[in-house]
Amino acid sequence: MTLADASTFTRRLDDLGVSVSAGPPSECAAMIDAAAGEPAVGVPLNRSGPDAFADSPAGLPDRIETDPTTADLRGAHTGVTAASLGVAAYGSVALEADPDGTEPVGLFVDRHVVVLREADLVPDMPDAFDWLGPRARDDSVDVVFATGPSATADMGGLVHGAHGPKEVHVVLLRDEDAADGSDAAVDAEDGQ
């Protein structure tokens, strides 16, 4: 991943109407807290696995329900999940269907807050498929590529949120070492 990939990703998200908070993993919970509405459900970020945040200080605020019932999920305004991969050219994020409930927590709410490590950005879809191919074959992983808020024109004019989140917010985590220099560059490019 290069700074150009991060800049392309944030520009594309801006084109899609997706807001972005960027910073080091140590600020993850605060960025999520600022982006999440009430009530909020989520999937723990510090789970094990090859694409997890197991060795990271990234975590969820205490107010996020991480063991939601069906009623909690139905009543939730916000769902918080980690994305395994981001595709810079499209502003897409890869959400894995897993036992933790990433897919329903991210797709059945009005606002989806996605946590993504900048290191997990790839430039384009061929690179995303290079990543996905072995995972799908060897680990039988199912992935949804989500790009911005849900939108459909099935009902006439463009409608947001008919088949998924009306709003998306990405929390982009940078390495602690890289956060000092690259935050200013991306924030300046985003006009913040």
Side-chain angles (χ1 to χ4, degrees):
M1 190 289 310
T2 66
L3 180 57
D5 293 337
S7 296
T8 299
F9 185 65
T10 56
R11 260 195 326 274
R12 187 64 186 124
L13 290 173
D14 186 55
D15 292 345
L16 295 166
V18 173
S19 54
V20 177
S21 300
S26 60
E27 295 177 17
C28 182
M31 290 186 288
I32 292 169
D33 199 38
E38 289 283 352
V41 296
V43 176
L45 302 180
N46 295 329
R47 60 185 199 253
S48 60
D51 299 308
F53 295 81
D55 297 326
S56 170
L60 297 173
D62 290 338
R63 71 180 179 93
I64 307 294
E65 174 59 58
T66 58
D67 191 18
T69 64
T70 303
D72 292 336
L73 186 57
R74 283 189 183 129
H77 172 270
T78 301
V80 182
T81 67
S84 300
L85 189 76
V87 184
Y90 296 95
S92 299
V93 293
L95 305 174
E96 293 188 31
D98 57 29
D100 292 324
T102 296
E103 195 173 16
V105 166
L107 300 177
F108 297 141
V109 291
D110 286 337
R111 179 181 299 155
H112 182 199
V113 177
V114 181
V115 180
L116 175 68
R117 295 181 304 190
E118 191 175 67
D120 293 329
L121 283 172
V122 296
D124 51 31
M125 274 303 179
D127 290 309
F129 288 128
D130 286 346
W131 166 85
L132 179 60
R135 295 178 58 79
R137 280 190 305 276
D138 301 339
D139 301 330
S140 297
V141 172
D142 293 323
V143 174
V144 171
F145 283 97
T147 306
S150 166
T152 184
D154 292 348
M155 299 170 236
L158 188 63
V159 176
H160 288 282
H163 304 296
K166 295 176 186 169
E167 303 171 50
V168 177
H169 184 101
V170 173
V171 173
L172 188 60
L173 301 179
R174 301 210 171 92
D175 290 335
E176 295 283 351
D177 297 334
D180 295 333
S182 47
D183 279 344
V186 173
D187 289 345
E189 191 161 325
D190 289 341
Q192 296 178 1

